[in-house]
Amino acid sequence: MKLDRTSFITLIAVMGAALVLALLNQMTAAASAAHVPTYVIALAGKYLCFAMLALAVDLVWGFAGILSLGHAAFFALGGYAMGMYLMRQIGTRGVYGNPNLPDFMVFLGWKALPWYWTGFEWFGFAILMAMLVPAVLAGVFGWLAFRSRVTGVYLSIITQALTYALLLAFFRNDMGFGGNNGMTDFKDILGFNVQADSTRSALLVISAVVLCGQFLLARFVVDSRFGKILIAVRDTESRTRFLGYRPESYKLVVWVLSAIMAGIGGALYVPQVGIINPSEFAPGNSIEAVIWVAVGGRGTLVGAILGAIIVNFGKTWFTGALPEVWLYALGAMFIFVTLFLPRGVMGLVRTSAPKEPEPETPAVAAAHEVTG
Amino acid sequence: MSLDEPILSRRGLGRLGVAAATLAAVGAVKAASTPAEAQATGGTIKVGVLHSLSGTMAISETTLKDVMLMLIEQQNKKGGLLGKKLEAVVVDPASNWPLFAEKARQLISVDKCAAVFGCWTSVSRKSVLPVFEELNGILFYPVQYEGQECSRNVFYTGAAPNQQAIPAVDYLMKENKVKRWVLAGTDYVYPRTTNQILEAYLKMKGVAQEDIMINYTPFGQSDWQNIVSSIKTFGSAGKKTAVVSTINGDANVPFYKELGNQGIKATDIPVVAFSVGEEELAGVDTKPLLGHLAAWNYFESVDTRENKAFIKEWKAFTKNPKRTTNDPMEAHYIGFNMWVKGVEKAGTTDPDAVIDALIGVSVPNLSGGYSALMPNHHITKPVLIGEIQPDGQFNIVSETPGLVVAQEWSPYVEDTKDLIGDWRAPLKCGAFNVKTGTCTSGKKA
Amino acid sequence: MPRLIALLLLIVLVLPGSRAHADDAYDALSASALAISPESFDSVRHGIEQLAESGDPRAAVVIGALHDGTLYANDDHALFIQQPDGSYVDAHTGAKAPDVTDDDVKKVRVNNAVRSAIDAALGGLQLFAPDAPTRLHAATAVFTSHDPAALPALKKALAKESDPAVKRLMEQAQAAALLSAPDASEAEKLDAVATLRARGDQDARSVLSALAGQSGPVGTAAAAAVVSIDHFLQIWSVAQSVYYGISLGSVLLLAAAGLAITFGVMGVINMAHGEMVMIGAYVTFVVQQLMHAYLPSLYGISLLIAVPMAFLVSGAVGVVIERSLIRWLYGRPLETLLATWGLSLVLQQVVRSLFGANNQDVDTPGWMSGAFQLGGLTLTWNRLYIIIFAFLVVAALMAALRYTPLGLRMRAVTQNRRMAAAMGIRTPWIDALTFGLGSGIAGIAGVALSQIDNVSPNLGQGYIIDSFMVVVFGGVGNLWGTTLGALTLGIVNKFLEPIAGAVLGKIIVLVLLILFVQRNPRGMFPLKGRAVEA
């Protein structure tokens, strides 16, 4: 598989930055000038997980033309799977000291663990579920939606309905996922203390490795013959169909793959931020993920990673430095990027790249006019 | 995997820029944080303010940020603390729970705040709790909550359920001879716990199961038509009926508007709320709500010299004669003064020393008494019950004779009825089981 | 047994206290000004009853003052009534008390129990008022209190009453009072049960069901009456659910109508639509404040003035947004989503900076508050007005698109932009006006929503998802579809809510919606023809 220069540099940068930060955090004394505080490690880990979500969004939006406004749902489901594992690891160290039930269940008077919690005490099972649950949901949803040719904004809106319904469902205390408070106060992951600096550093490096792996996988998919057909589907779905392909099958495969990638991102996100709760399903989160991709540059994969890091760094910085007016800054950033950088930050970098898809193909413009 | 171009061509250099930008961004996080570290050793003591200034909770929390700024300014006018000026570090966690944890970490480990005043919702507190315990910070939490928690690093200046709900129910039973109860709440942990406690309490008082109706609604519920009408139906069974509302924030305004419109008067079916204060009522026309009740530990209408002075300062500070005061503001007022006293007592801002020094500290509250910080990290409070007036204020109709001590662990929940929290020297435990004599959790050396 | 002893002790301890005050009605009334305690409220209540029975000519005035919150007491238990100009008169004599200042006196506190006593007392005193509405009000108060003490007064009043509506209510009040009178005969009580059974609403049910458990013919009759009323209310409850559904649907319709233009007709995924609604609500607030300050005589119709103002302000904001932002993004519909999302963040923050994060109080005018009965239906005025208003708005919008030259051009541009331009239509200008129209309609929705929801910077956020659902469900680009979609969603929601609960009901609606769109990928009313395979 051929890897272009930008991709290569991105891989090196992500891996390098993660390793350097982790090493500086671990190897240097807290007082030394070169020391990286754990705060930065936690932040960087969080950004990388968001980058996985962005990568997943870019794969379906940038290459298959499916604008998902509900991708954070898959991310959150992966997060919940990991959260359930972490809850089970607390064991008797919970507030009530109940060896089987998480605190919130004891508190609501539950007597036994519901059946769907079975198996989450095993790490492997939790990771499997973090991929399987988003995959099954995406599979069912996509099979129904693509088969009946729900496209464009209709699809976007029903993905939003999906995440909104999940948001409401997970808010319910009767669901057995901790209601509004969700899951928190985790202790161990695979026997390591989740709050220890070394665990955090390790998680950061693992996140970087996984992100790079996902990136390579995505690159491989879009560069393959399969990817070419996806791009054809994106640009003119009906023409691809007339050529004898079945666009719905191609879309479904990439859609499920993307959901799995988001789920893994969520699973890595939870131990690093220490909480998972229904607000991760909020429709706004999914829209934000799309914005990361747009800021970085749609259909470039590298742009998705960049966008997620830039926007989230902006958010971290603005909320601390300009707490009263940061929404102006963030909102202005989105408007500026869409107006002046239609291809995102990556548009600045590779102005000369000829392969870049035209965002406005005649078909899209025509579609707009007719539906309009 | 192979490269299709040599690494350092001219175009390649440009792409290196991308990588450099990535690194720079990560580095900048650090850069953004380092100047603060340098300052921490200087002439100021930093106080973190962790309240949402945007998003859904901004409506309630913005006021608390303002009151903290006022308290810090006043303290500085009095000469600061330990000879140093106080400096507020305000951040915006934007009603986003993981962001709360991130900002808490920033306030403690990067800005080196001596104490943090913040959070409103239970989930935001739960989200920052591990951070405060890990980094040994101090959090003052000013809102009434569900209890069932007693962390060494958190000081709960809001009411526990027994400091709010039970006296209110007692009042209605006695004064209005209420026999039938609707427990209406938003579906999250505070209403669930409060209702659990109330249900047990009501049954203990001889209320039959069929005379209790429990209803949960989602956050931000805006269409209350058939819920209000079912309350009305429930209330037409010939027994005096009352509603105990633990409906949260945003949903209250449409709820009260619907009550007013369906003509449910307080003389027919009184509604007593635990989350509705002066601030929430600012958005409602209160004329039809005359006589509905709220239970708090403070009302703006409390008739004391301290409160009048506080209101005057508040209006002057915000330069807005219409700003109201409310219960969580008083909690911050008490909490801040306790912290000041604790730091003075300890002679340092070192968290361990301050945490130990704070227990037993007692400061004046705004309702004419002294609130003391108990070994369970909760404070003693009077319980006031007020009726809504046409001007959006509360007419206080009942006041507990003395101060009420918080029960951090509910005696009505099977698993916690034997637990106590005591952070004083020999025990030092947040959840000590008095039956078995063991510390189930929260033991810190 | 120990409890009984405690109770007895309590009575012994409390009674002397209240007796001491109760010797004189005026003395008793001043009790709650001086102490906040249950005993003091008991004593006030006692004072009111005494005063009402005393025949004292000042009784109505003093109780009225207590009702209005203008009764004050000083430390010596002397009572004063505050006049509108801030001066005081002696409550006992009505003489001016020039020496009394605000610092000398405290307001007599009133709680719900006292307020009930006031209503009952005033009701009894006002049964003979010269005007019918006051008598009606008094009879309602007596019905609510159903205090047997009012029976003699009711009898007298009934003999004199000429107004049939008031008379009927007085009879019902008499029936309610009779049922709680211990000395009424069985025949009287059975008559009373029949009267209340005929009234047949929840209030009547409330009185009757207190008796339903008793043995004897009265209890049996009451139980039968309760069953009959329940049966009656059950039938009506279906209609009531439909009404609630239409009402919820009309709110959704209002919120979505503007989006049906900007999104449905123009294809702009306008995430800032909710903020246009919010702006409309804030315009209502500002208009009310201004009218309160400068035109208090017209305050009652401030909402009517707010409607065009909200349309203009939101519409103008919409035109500005289209000219500065959207027009660069035509042909890239998904990217408008991003820009308008950013815009919505900015607009929320602007409003937060200007007005603060708190809710603003938008008053409901008198003609919009309250409810009335229609058969077994309870219809609230504000909801009814919103339903009517929603349909008027949609009708006006359809008429504007169908019959005005502007509407014709809008349709031409959206159907075939190039052809329209070739015919000499200034398409950019039409785009701006169309977007302005959609935004203006959203602003109007804000006026209506200010009556039922929070007026806060977050107002729009709560409606944006629902609005998109409605437009997609109904079929993009079709106002009829939007209307039917909103009503269907509203009614389905309201029928599910009592069965599944509010949260689960909403989830079910969303899942049904997703499945529906899978079956009908272009909504209920898809645009037919070549447009379909776009």
Side-chain angles (χ1 to χ4, degrees), chain C residues 5-360:
Chain C
I5 292 169
L7 191 73
L8 283 175
L9 256 178
L10 193 73
I11 292 171
V12 172
L13 284 174
V14 170
L15 275 182
S18 40
R19 279 268 166 72
H21 290 305
D23 288 341
D24 174 12
Y26 291 99
D27 234 18
L29 284 184
S30 62
S32 83
L34 308 172
I36 307 171
S37 70
E39 291 81 44
S40 71
F41 286 119
D42 282 348
S43 156
V44 176
R45 214 156 57 199
H46 210 86
I48 293 167
E49 280 158 17
Q50 265 190 330
L51 203 54
E53 287 164 21
S54 68
D56 188 327
R58 299 278 304 160
V61 180
V62 174
I63 298 177
L66 194 56
H67 178 263
D68 300 336
T70 53
L71 191 68
Y72 287 76
N74 70 7
D75 290 347
D76 303 327
H77 297 268
L79 288 169
F80 302 92
I81 297 172
Q82 194 183 38
Q83 302 298 304
D85 60 1
S87 68
Y88 293 88
V89 298
D90 187 300
H92 217 131
T93 61
K96 275 205 162 34
D99 308 339
V100 179
T101 63
D102 291 351
D103 294 335
D104 301 336
V105 290
K106 280 184 173 166
K107 197 187 220 171
V108 176
R109 286 170 205 265
V110 169
N111 71 359
N112 284 324
V114 172
R115 212 170 280 121
S116 302
I118 294 175
D119 286 346
L122 278 182
L125 292 170
Q126 287 174 345
L127 278 175
F128 305 98
D131 58 324
T134 313
R135 290 202 302 275
L136 195 74
H137 190 257
T140 316
V142 176
F143 179 84
T144 318
S145 74
H146 49 85
D147 182 0
L151 275 172
L154 270 172
K155 205 168 218 164
K156 252 199 283 175
L158 264 172
K160 285 208 288 189
E161 189 55 61
S162 52
D163 187 305
V166 179
K167 190 160 186 163
R168 195 166 63 239
L169 194 57
M170 281 182 176
E171 279 164 5
Q172 288 163 352
Q174 190 183 29
L178 267 174
L179 286 176
S180 38
D183 51 351
S185 73
E186 194 162 274
E188 276 177 317
K189 285 198 171 184
L190 284 174
D191 267 356
V193 169
T195 310
L196 289 181
R197 180 175 176 159
R199 178 176 163 131
D201 66 350
Q202 278 176 348
D203 294 329
R205 183 188 187 278
S206 177
V207 178
L208 287 170
S209 52
L211 294 171
Q214 290 177 359
S215 55
V218 178
T220 323
V226 168
V227 171
S228 134
I229 292 175
D230 278 348
H231 190 66
F232 174 77
L233 290 177
Q234 198 87 52
I235 295 168
W236 280 102
S237 78
V238 177
Q240 186 80 65
S241 287
V242 173
Y243 174 73
Y244 288 153
I246 293 175
S247 164
L248 175 64
S250 68
V251 170
L252 291 175
L253 176 58
L254 270 175
L259 199 68
I261 303 290
T262 51
F263 171 55
V265 177
M266 296 180 78
V268 174
I269 306 181
N270 182 14
M271 297 306 284
H273 173 74
E275 278 57 46
M276 299 295 143
V277 177
M278 176 204 43
I279 289 174
Y282 273 90
V283 169
T284 317
F285 167 70
V286 172
V287 166
Q288 275 203 349
Q289 293 297 310
L290 289 178
M291 294 196 60
H292 191 62
Y294 300 110
L295 280 172
S297 55
L298 292 178
Y299 188 67
I301 56 159
S302 54
L303 277 190
L304 299 183
I305 295 172
V307 171
M309 290 303 293
F311 181 81
L312 289 177
V313 173
S314 290
V317 174
V319 170
V320 170
I321 292 172
E322 201 281 339
R323 283 292 83 189
S324 58
L325 195 63
I326 310 279
R327 70 160 160 162
W328 308 107
L329 300 170
Y330 285 120
R332 293 189 287 158
L334 299 180
E335 278 161 52
T336 54
L337 180 148
L338 310 179
T340 49
W341 175 257
L343 187 72
S344 80
L345 296 183
V346 172
L347 286 175
Q348 279 175 44
Q349 196 63 19
V350 168
V351 169
R352 209 172 271 132
S353 306
L354 284 178
F355 294 92
N358 303 24
N359 284 332
Q360 301 298 341

Side-chain angles (χ1 to χ4, degrees), chain B residues 222-275:
Chain B
S222 61
D223 194 293
W224 287 94
Q225 298 181 87
N226 46 8
I227 293 167
V228 167
S229 118
S230 72
I231 290 174
K232 218 170 154 182
T233 312
F234 187 78
S236 68
K239 291 180 186 166
K240 183 74 184 174
T241 306
V243 179
V244 178
S245 153
T246 38
I247 295 162
N248 177 275
D250 271 1
N252 273 305
V253 172
F255 174 65
Y256 278 107
K257 284 187 175 171
E258 193 65 40
L259 275 184
N261 275 313
Q262 295 208 16
I264 296 190
K265 286 210 232 67
T267 45
D268 309 330
I269 302 178
V271 177
V272 56
F274 303 145
S275 318

Side-chain angles (χ1 to χ4, degrees), chain B residues 53-56 58-59 62 171 174-176 218 221-223 225-226 229 232-233 236-238 250 253-254 257-258 261-262 266-268 270 279 282-285 290-291 293 387 395-398, chain C residues 36 38 41 45 109-113 115-116 144 202 205-206 209-210 244 247-248 352 357-361 363-364 368-371 378 380 382-383 450-454 458 463 494 497 502-503:
Chain B
L53 310 178
S54 58
T56 49
I59 171 174
T62 315
Y171 171 83
K174 192 148 174 264
E175 192 63 18
N176 292 21
Q221 171 87 3
S222 61
D223 194 293
Q225 298 181 87
N226 46 8
S229 118
K232 218 170 154 182
T233 312
S236 68
D250 271 1
V253 172
K257 284 187 175 171
E258 193 65 40
N261 275 313
Q262 295 208 16
T267 45
D268 309 330
E279 195 92 323
V284 202
D285 176 12
L290 175 74
L293 304 111
E387 287 185 355
N395 167 27
I396 298 162
V397 294
S398 162
Chain C
I36 307 171
F41 286 119
R45 214 156 57 199
R109 286 170 205 265
V110 169
N111 71 359
N112 284 324
R115 212 170 280 121
S116 302
T144 318
Q202 278 176 348
R205 183 188 187 278
S206 177
S209 52
Y244 288 153
S247 164
L248 175 64
R352 209 172 271 132
N358 303 24
N359 284 332
Q360 301 298 341
D361 175 10
D363 277 348
T364 303
M368 268 186 82
S369 33
T378 309
T380 49
N382 69 339
R383 295 279 179 178
S450 75
Q451 290 303 307
I452 51 169
D453 209 338
N454 294 287
N458 301 328
Y463 290 94
K494 284 295 158 192
E497 214 170 75
V503 192

Side-chain angles (χ1 to χ4, degrees), chain A residues 258-308:
Chain A
S258 162
I260 294 173
M261 285 165 62
I264 295 174
L268 280 164
Y269 170 80
V270 169
Q272 301 193 66
V273 299
I275 183 168
I276 176 76
N277 74 35
S279 65
E280 298 297 334
F281 288 103
N285 284 21
S286 297
I287 295 175
E288 254 185 52
V290 173
I291 285 175
W292 304 336
V293 177
V295 167
R298 175 191 168 194
T300 59
L301 296 181
V302 175
I305 297 176
L306 263 184

